[in-house]
Amino acid sequence: MNKEPVRIILSEDELPRQWYDIRSDMVNKPAPYLNPATKEPLTFEDLTAIFGEEVVRQELSFDKPYVDIPEEVMDIYKMYRATPVIRAKRLEKKLGTPAHIYFKHEGENASNSHKLNSLVPQAYYAKKQGLKGIVTETAAGNVGTATSVASAFFDLECKICMVRVSYEQKAFRREVMKLFGADVISSPSTFTEIGKKINAEFPNTPGSLGCAISEAAEIATTQDGYAYVLGSMFSAVLMHQSIIGLETKKALEKYDIKPDIIIGCASGGSNFCGLASPFIGEKIKGINDYRIIAVEPEACPSLTRGKYAYDFCDTGMICPLAKMYTLGSQFVPSPIHAGGLRYHGMSPIVSQLYEDKLIEAVAISQTSAFDAAALFAKTEGIVPAPESSHAIKVAIDEALKCKETGEEKNILFVLSGTGYFDMPAYQKYNEHRIEDYKVSDEEIERLAKSIPTVE
Amino acid sequence: MNKEPVRIILSEDELPRQWYDIRSDMVNKPAPYLNPATKEPLTFEDLTAIFGEEVVRQELSFDKPYVDIPEEVMDIYKMYRATPVIRAKRLEKKLGTPAHIYFKHEGENASNSHKLNSLVPQAYYAKKQGLKGIVTETAAGNVGTATSVASAFFDLECKICMVRVSYEQKAFRREVMKLFGADVISSPSTFTEIGKKINAEFPNTPGSLGCAISEAAEIATTQDGYAYVLGSMFSAVLMHQSIIGLETKKALEKYDIKPDIIIGCASGGSNFCGLASPFIGEKIKGINDYRIIAVEPEACPSLTRGKYAYDFCDTGMICPLAKMYTLGSQFVPSPIHAGGLRYHGMSPIVSQLYEDKLIEAVAISQTSAFDAAALFAKTEGIVPAPESSHAIKVAIDEALKCKETGEEKNILFVLSGTGYFDMPAYQKYNEHRIEDYKVSDEEIERLAKSIPTVE
């Protein structure tokens, strides 16, 4: 066995060639999406009215634990993968912990986050289906950027419905998407029926994610040759993200390293489940045991304080019902800077894993996440995305526990992205203006009442 | 021999352990810096009044072709190196060229550019000397960011004199430096004598690089325990950057690839010479032949239209005289977006190599650089720094020549950094508002008159 390097990077011929679908190994499968009107499970026909065919096929079938990654997708993966597993030696030293801290770095691609891992296959399948374009919605800009990059790779048209306030304030994100050829639409727009309606009613609205979703869905259903692509929630997306965990596992095994604790930030759950699913699979099958922790913000605590029930995926209550841990579709999160962690629900897979006690969850404050981010930046030389900082915070906490107990645990987390587009948030941090938001018990209770009763 | 992967990344144990000093192999050595008053070569004592001792030692001696990289520097290099050599297959395909295009990607670290490669050793040597801090000037922000990151690694204080207009307009860059703990000073400041003087005379000045240099130099000479660190020009800096070329050469040799054409953008010349020097060394010794091209903007054509003469390094004419290709120290470059390519002179090493016809130089327009950048982004999925786009443009031109002739040449360039902090420039590009600037013959002639006569 060679000496363990600081960065473990699989070679091209060591790259995994298949994704892992954890549903095949789950004893209790995630519940299907339901039609909000009929309360019946959504069919292939229902879903392909909006989404691409192959993605829907993957969403609806989960008999195979491993799914081949198409050659054309592998060709793109090879341009930025394998991503490194990095030992955070300087962070360990700073903390004075006997623990070994490892992180999988998913921020070194043009989209600056892990989102590209799923948008590449989604774009590929759309192209293969003969579609002419893909459409999605974006607020923080992560999904939008990944979508624009993936569409450029496959010569697809690309429409991004960007929440108006983000369109105006996140100019850098907007311009990256445009550089990659995307048509970035300030939502509500004047192109869609729903956009026109909302603009007429609320001319000065800053827009909302709910509205942007509705606009993107309208484009996907009414314009010829467009498919809606997704950044999270869908089981197919979580499966594509398993590339993170498969690479990590293989990289660590090369040096005989077994993680004791596995950590990821979670909103829909795509980067968290992407890292954790191959390890959870082993846990289910009794091959190995791991502590696996999903981290969410106190400002949006769907796992730790939400209800496990069927709920609407959108504020407008027009999208399908998903069985998930949810705060209620009417939840309006505080304006925290981890824009990717503001969703009211958790993906059906991660929700079921939590219900089955295969994973833990913890909610942390915004200030503690930024403190962890600053310490990480100064020691490891990487500016983390505010979302990823939630995972860093818990990794640090666990490493400090090891300092107390003297345990030499292996702590692994996923750095889902970098924070170079989040400097306004870091400016606030530098100026000591980051605030904490905690949802009150009254609010949790009030919102729970909006969750429909589905038998 | 294994199949050539898309990304060639040396493993940790393959990393070069020594820098290469091309001066040792140059037949005509670069001319020494002169004291502007006495016109005598600067001594160790002169230079250490401002700069750190070990860096000055390296600057003044060049008897050894290889210099050991300290273990502490290697420990930091291992956190982000080796950087990948990437085959730009999708770009080749788009161009329809039989050429193979390779690029060395130096943008995947917290400073987003190659600058960190030299700031790490400079910070390390300052720490070892027992200094308490490092100081530098910055306009575009690349050097400042790398300095702040390196100072965090070695627990040094860090002061960055940032040209006032950049301080105000490049808020993201400023905040990254602050996050890493730097004291970012809007220049002219109220802390230094020169700053006070300029503020009194010109209260609303946007500042200038010349003034920021003077302020940083004043801090280095008057404050206890501070050394001035540099992003380019110095031969020691160019030597540190040889890590780029040494890694590239070793990576390509693993797959039996010999580059025919080697390309880098050049202002001071640190990334260009960093990549090219190990290859130029072979050229000097007759081991191998290569075409080596330095690319500069038409708006600042020091090599292609400047004069090879001793000139002041700064507008204020207080810094040392360097023998270099220069447009004249009074040259005020047009406001091009490649902020790192606006210096009036070229480093003494690169100037001498050009004088000796070991390298070629070409000047290109700003619009052609941005067009190349956009094509590169869409095909290779990386947003390049506007500086690096100059190298991309010439790589594309050479690849298109191969298309005409049918030659299967290997074209290699260095991607010195990414453009995520340059989105305002890309916004202009997206809106078709990028302009070209060419220096007139009259201007070149007028400026040449400011170059002093030194025998």
Side-chain angles (χ1 to χ4, degrees):
Chain A
M1 178 124 355
N2 289 326
K3 187 177 156 285
E4 180 192 324
V6 177
R7 302 190 308 159
I8 311 174
I9 308 177
L10 297 177
S11 65
E12 189 173 285
D13 50 21
E14 291 172 319
L15 283 178
R17 301 273 160 169
Q18 296 181 307
W19 292 301
Y20 170 62
D21 190 344
I22 190 163
R23 290 176 298 175
S24 66
D25 287 323
M26 289 169 74
V27 177
N28 301 312
K29 308 295 182 194
Y33 289 93
L34 302 185
N35 182 315
T38 64
K39 307 282 191 296
E40 292 296 317
L42 289 173
T43 63
F44 182 80
E45 285 67 31
D46 292 335
L47 286 163
T48 51
I50 302 186
F51 304 105
E53 289 175 6
E54 185 59 29
V55 174
V56 170
R57 223 167 270 131
Q58 292 179 344
E59 188 65 23
L60 295 178
S61 65
F62 42 87
D63 46 334
K64 287 184 298 182
Y66 291 97
V67 173
D68 287 343
I69 304 175
E71 257 334 290
E72 293 83 349
V73 173
M74 283 305 303
D75 285 344
I76 304 290
Y77 278 176
K78 287 174 191 170
M79 293 167 67
Y80 71 98
R81 306 199 71 85
T83 62
V85 177
I86 304 178
R87 170 90 180 270
K89 281 191 179 182
R90 289 174 44 83
L91 176 61
E92 291 169 15
K93 198 177 164 193
K94 187 82 182 172
L95 297 173
T97 177
H100 291 198
I101 305 175
Y102 298 89
F103 63 97
K104 177 75 164 167
H105 187 357
E106 289 292 320
E108 291 184 344
N109 67 66
S111 77
N112 289 99
S113 84
H114 70 290
K115 294 290 182 194
L116 193 59
N117 301 334
S118 176
L119 269 308
V120 168
Q122 289 187 66
Y124 164 71
Y125 291 130
K127 186 74 179 184
K128 204 178 160 204
Q129 193 186 328
L131 300 181
K132 73 173 182 189
I134 52 181
V135 58
T136 195
E137 92 292 341
T138 205
N142 289 303
V143 182
T145 310
T147 303
S148 69
V149 175
S151 70
F153 286 152
F154 292 104
D155 279 320
L156 286 163
E157 290 179 16
C158 176
K159 289 183 195 290
I160 308 290
C161 299
M162 188 171 191
V163 178
R164 185 179 289 168
V165 61
S166 303
Y167 182 92
E168 281 158 14
Q169 289 178 356
K170 302 210 162 191
F172 283 22
R173 277 286 190 194
R174 181 189 71 214
E175 297 302 328
V176 174
M177 293 184 247
K178 286 188 179 176
L179 181 65
F180 281 99
D183 180 10
V184 188
I185 297 161
S186 176
S187 167
S189 77
T190 53
F191 312 116
T192 66
E193 292 310 313
I194 180 84
K196 282 182 215 167
K197 186 164 163 273
I198 291 175
N199 267 317
E201 272 183 63
F202 313 99
N204 297 316
T205 175
S208 70
L209 200 58
C211 170
I213 291 173
S214 302
E215 285 206 276
E218 185 179 322
I219 290 170
T221 46
T222 61
Q223 292 200 14
D224 254 9
Y226 265 85
Y228 197 135
V229 291
L230 280 166
S232 192
M233 288 298 284
F234 257 35
S235 301
V237 173
L238 271 57
M239 178 185 80
H240 302 150
Q241 294 295 353
S242 69
I243 190 75
I244 302 173
L246 293 166
E247 278 183 12
T248 304
K249 200 158 174 298
K250 197 165 179 179
L252 292 177
E253 280 168 1
K254 276 183 78 169
Y255 295 92
D256 215 13
I257 303 158
K258 182 188 161 290
D260 298 294
I261 307 173
I262 296 162
I263 303 163
C265 67
S267 180
S270 78
N271 89 86
F272 165 74
C273 197
L275 173 70
S277 62
F279 299 97
I280 300 174
E282 287 198 344
K283 195 168 170 174
I284 294 172
K285 290 181 272 185
I287 297 168
N288 263 314
D289 197 21
Y290 307 96
R291 269 190 71 202
I292 297 168
I293 309 172
V295 190
E296 53 187 20
E298 279 182 351
C300 190
S302 58
L303 281 178
T304 50
R305 297 177 71 196
K307 194 172 148 182
Y308 190 43
Y310 264 109
D311 195 9
F312 293 98
C313 289
D314 66 323
T315 318
M317 299 186 174
I318 54 166
C319 283
L321 291 163
K323 189 167 181 194
M324 58 185 176
Y325 274 86
T326 176
L327 295 164
S329 63
Q330 302 311 300
F331 177 67
V332 180
S334 302
I336 57 167
H337 296 290
L341 300 181
R342 299 175 75 239
Y343 188 64
H344 69 275
M346 185 62 64
S347 60
I349 285 182
V350 174
S351 294
Q352 187 63 49
L353 291 170
Y354 185 62
E355 180 71 6
D356 291 344
K357 300 192 170 30
L358 286 159
I359 62 171
E360 304 168 34
V362 56
I364 65 158
S365 73
Q366 177 161 247
T367 49
S368 72
F370 272 92
D371 284 339
L375 180 61
F376 183 76
K378 284 184 191 170
T379 50
E380 295 300 319
I382 298 168
V383 179
E387 291 84 354
S388 318
S389 307
H390 287 68
I392 298 172
K393 161 66 179 161
V394 173
I396 290 173
D397 284 350
E398 292 296 332
L400 290 174
K401 281 184 207 164
C402 288
K403 187 179 179 176
E404 277 181 29
T405 61
E407 286 171 292
E408 221 178 270
K409 285 187 182 166
N410 290 321
I411 300 170
L412 167 68
F413 71 89
V414 51
L415 184 78
S416 57
T418 54
Y420 298 103
F421 287 106
D422 300 285
M423 291 321 295
Y426 279 105
Q427 177 168 359
K428 276 198 178 172
Y429 177 76
N430 290 337
E431 293 166 359
H432 310 288
R433 293 192 288 116
I434 294 287
E435 287 170 15
D436 282 331
Y437 302 93
K438 204 165 176 171
V439 191
S440 70
D441 290 338
E442 294 70 33
E443 182 72 355
I444 295 280
E445 217 167 296
R446 189 185 66 77
L447 288 162
K449 290 182 188 145
S450 74
I451 301 170
T453 311
V454 178
E455 298 309 317
Chain B
M1 180 131 346
N2 288 328
K3 188 176 156 284
E4 181 192 323
V6 177
R7 302 190 309 158
I8 311 175
I9 308 177
L10 296 177
S11 66
E12 192 173 282
D13 51 20
E14 292 172 319
L15 282 178
R17 300 270 160 172
Q18 297 181 306
W19 293 301
Y20 170 61
D21 190 344
I22 189 164
R23 289 175 300 176
S24 66
D25 287 324
M26 288 170 75
V27 178
N28 301 311
K29 308 295 182 194
Y33 287 93
L34 302 184
N35 181 314
T38 64
K39 308 283 192 298
E40 291 296 318
L42 289 173
T43 64
F44 182 81
E45 286 67 32
D46 292 335
L47 286 162
T48 51
I50 302 185
F51 304 104
E53 288 174 7
E54 186 58 29
V55 174
V56 169
R57 221 168 270 130
Q58 292 179 344
E59 188 66 22
L60 294 177
S61 66
F62 42 86
D63 48 331
K64 286 185 297 183
Y66 292 97
V67 172
D68 287 344
I69 304 174
E71 256 337 287
E72 293 83 350
V73 173
M74 283 305 304
D75 285 345
I76 305 290
Y77 278 177
K78 287 173 190 170
M79 293 166 67
Y80 71 97
R81 308 200 69 86
T83 61
V85 177
I86 304 177
R87 170 91 181 268
K89 281 192 179 182
R90 289 173 45 83
L91 176 60
E92 291 169 14
K93 198 176 163 194
K94 187 80 180 177
L95 297 172
T97 178
H100 291 198
I101 304 175
Y102 298 89
F103 63 98
K104 178 73 163 168
H105 188 356
E106 289 293 321
E108 291 184 345
N109 66 68
S111 77
N112 289 100
S113 84
H114 70 291
K115 295 290 183 194
L116 192 60
N117 301 333
S118 176
L119 268 309
V120 168
Q122 289 187 67
Y124 164 70
Y125 291 130
K127 186 73 178 183
K128 204 180 161 202
Q129 192 186 326
L131 300 180
K132 73 173 181 189
I134 51 180
V135 58
T136 196
E137 93 291 343
T138 205
N142 290 302
V143 182
T145 309
T147 303
S148 69
V149 175
S151 70
F153 285 153
F154 292 104
D155 279 319
L156 286 162
E157 291 179 15
C158 176
K159 290 184 195 289
I160 308 290
C161 299
M162 189 171 190
V163 178
R164 185 179 290 168
V165 61
S166 302
Y167 182 93
E168 282 158 13
Q169 289 180 356
K170 302 210 161 190
F172 283 22
R173 278 286 191 193
R174 182 189 71 214
E175 296 302 328
V176 173
M177 293 184 248
K178 287 188 179 178
L179 181 65
F180 281 98
D183 179 10
V184 188
I185 298 161
S186 176
S187 168
S189 78
T190 53
F191 312 117
T192 67
E193 292 310 312
I194 181 83
K196 283 182 213 165
K197 187 164 161 270
I198 291 176
N199 267 317
E201 272 183 64
F202 313 100
N204 297 316
T205 175
S208 69
L209 200 57
C211 169
I213 292 173
S214 303
E215 286 206 277
E218 186 179 322
I219 290 169
T221 47
T222 61
Q223 293 199 14
D224 254 9
Y226 265 86
Y228 197 136
V229 291
L230 280 165
S232 192
M233 288 299 284
F234 256 33
S235 300
V237 174
L238 270 58
M239 179 185 80
H240 301 151
Q241 293 295 353
S242 69
I243 189 75
I244 301 173
L246 293 166
E247 278 182 13
T248 305
K249 200 158 173 297
K250 197 165 180 179
L252 292 177
E253 280 168 1
K254 276 183 79 169
Y255 295 92
D256 215 11
I257 304 159
K258 182 188 162 288
D260 298 294
I261 307 174
I262 296 162
I263 303 165
C265 66
S267 179
S270 78
N271 89 86
F272 166 73
C273 197
L275 173 69
S277 63
F279 298 98
I280 300 174
E282 286 198 345
K283 195 169 170 173
I284 293 172
K285 289 183 272 185
I287 297 168
N288 262 315
D289 197 21
Y290 306 97
R291 271 190 70 202
I292 297 168
I293 309 172
V295 189
E296 53 187 20
E298 279 182 352
C300 191
S302 59
L303 281 178
T304 50
R305 297 176 71 198
K307 197 173 145 182
Y308 189 43
Y310 264 109
D311 194 10
F312 294 97
C313 289
D314 66 324
T315 318
M317 298 188 176
I318 54 165
C319 283
L321 291 163
K323 190 168 180 194
M324 58 185 178
Y325 273 86
T326 175
L327 295 164
S329 64
Q330 302 311 302
F331 177 68
V332 179
S334 302
I336 58 167
H337 296 290
L341 300 181
R342 298 175 75 240
Y343 188 64
H344 67 276
M346 185 60 65
S347 61
I349 286 182
V350 175
S351 295
Q352 188 62 49
L353 292 170
Y354 185 62
E355 180 70 7
D356 292 343
K357 300 191 168 33
L358 285 158
I359 61 170
E360 304 167 35
V362 56
I364 64 158
S365 72
Q366 177 162 245
T367 49
S368 71
F370 272 93
D371 284 339
L375 180 61
F376 183 75
K378 284 184 190 169
T379 50
E380 295 300 319
I382 298 168
V383 179
E387 291 84 355
S388 319
S389 306
H390 287 70
I392 298 171
K393 160 66 180 162
V394 173
I396 290 174
D397 284 349
E398 292 296 331
L400 290 175
K401 282 183 207 165
C402 288
K403 187 180 180 176
E404 277 180 29
T405 62
E407 286 171 292
E408 222 178 90
K409 285 187 181 163
N410 291 321
I411 299 170
L412 167 68
F413 71 90
V414 51
L415 185 78
S416 57
T418 53
Y420 299 103
F421 286 107
D422 300 285
M423 291 321 294
Y426 279 106
Q427 177 168 358
K428 277 200 178 172
Y429 178 76
N430 289 338
E431 294 167 358
H432 310 289
R433 292 191 290 116
I434 294 287
E435 287 171 14
D436 282 331
Y437 302 94
K438 205 166 176 171
V439 191
S440 70
D441 289 338
E442 295 70 33
E443 182 72 354
I444 294 281
E445 217 167 296
R446 189 183 68 75
L447 288 162
K449 289 181 189 146
S450 74
I451 300 171
T453 311
V454 177
E455 297 310 316

